[in-house]
Amino acid sequence: PADLGLLESQDQGESWTDVSLAGQVDFHRLTASQDTVLGVNSGDGLLWRSVDAGTSWDTLGPGPFDVALNPQNPRRAVGTTQDGPIASTNGGRDWAPIPGAPVIALLAWTSDRLWGVTPDGAVHSSVDNGETWRRAGTVAGSATAVAANPKRVVILAGDTIWERLDQGATFAPRVTDLPGH
C-alpha cells in the first residue's frame, strides 16, 4: 500500500513483515527506545506513539519535523521545529522549547549523546538530553538524513554521505555522487 505502516525485518532487511498500521500511516520519521516507538506520519504530520513495540498506537497531536528517543529512557524525547528543538519528559505527550539551543533539523541519539544537524550543515552534539549543545563539525550542503552509533556519525547532504569516525570535528566524504539526491 501507499502507506506502509510499521514493518519489521528479522533477517537484516532481506524480508519484511507488517507489524501494524499498513495502509493507514506512512512514517518518514521513526524512533524507538525499549518498547516505545514514536513516529511522525508524513501524510498529516501527526505524532504517533506505541508503548508495546508497535502493536497498538495513539496519536499525540501535531508532530515535530524529526524526533529522537533517549535509548536509556523512553520518556525523554527531543524533536525539531523551525524555531528550534523541543523536549518531552513524558514520551512525546507534552513538549517545551529548549532555550538557547541551535536550530536543529535532524537528530540521532546514541547511547552516549544526542546528535543534531542544522539546516546549513553544522553538526552539534549534546551529552545532557539536548539541554546544551556543542558544535562538533560541519558538512557541505543541506542534510536530509543522519544516523549514528557511539563510534560513527554519518550524514546525507546533497549527493554525498559524510562520515565522522575519529571523534574529531572533521567530517569527510565517504560516498559521493549519489544518483537522485
Side-chain angles (χ1 to χ4, degrees):
D3 296 328
L4 295 175
L6 184 66
L7 303 173
E8 164 183 64
S9 175
Q10 300 212 3
D11 58 9
Q12 298 181 326
E14 293 292 322
S15 62
W16 294 87
T17 57
D18 290 329
V19 176
S20 59
L21 301 175
Q24 300 174 54
V25 174
D26 190 22
F27 293 116
H28 281 205
R29 304 291 184 208
L30 198 60
T31 185
S33 174
Q34 300 171 23
D35 285 340
T36 299
V37 183
L38 292 178
V40 180
N41 181 11
S42 67
D44 57 15
L46 291 178
L47 180 64
W48 290 64
R49 180 177 66 181
S50 171
V51 293
D52 58 8
T55 302
S56 61
W57 294 84
D58 294 315
T59 55
L60 301 179
F65 175 73
D66 196 10
V67 63
L69 280 169
N70 181 319
Q72 283 82 36
N73 178 1
R75 296 187 56 76
R76 180 65 179 189
V78 174
T80 62
T81 73
Q82 67 183 24
D83 297 322
I86 53 178
S88 174
T89 58
N90 58 10
R93 186 163 303 282
D94 299 300
W95 297 90
I98 300 173
V103 177
I104 301 289
L106 300 170
L107 298 163
W109 212 320
T110 68
S111 60
D112 66 340
R113 71 189 62 230
L114 177 60
W115 293 94
V117 184
T118 67
D120 65 355
V123 182
H124 296 266
S125 70
S126 173
V127 294
D128 60 3
N129 292 311
E131 295 299 319
T132 61
W133 295 86
R134 168 182 82 74
R135 188 157 178 156
T138 304
V139 298
S142 180
T144 54
V146 59
N149 66 34
K151 295 182 180 183
R152 178 177 290 156
V153 179
V154 293
I155 298 167
L156 174 62
D159 65 353
T160 302
I161 296 175
W162 297 85
E163 181 178 32
R164 176 181 184 259
L165 288 172
D166 61 1
Q167 299 302 313
T170 303
F171 282 79
R174 175 75 173 177
V175 179
T176 59
D177 300 322
L178 289 168
H181 292 280

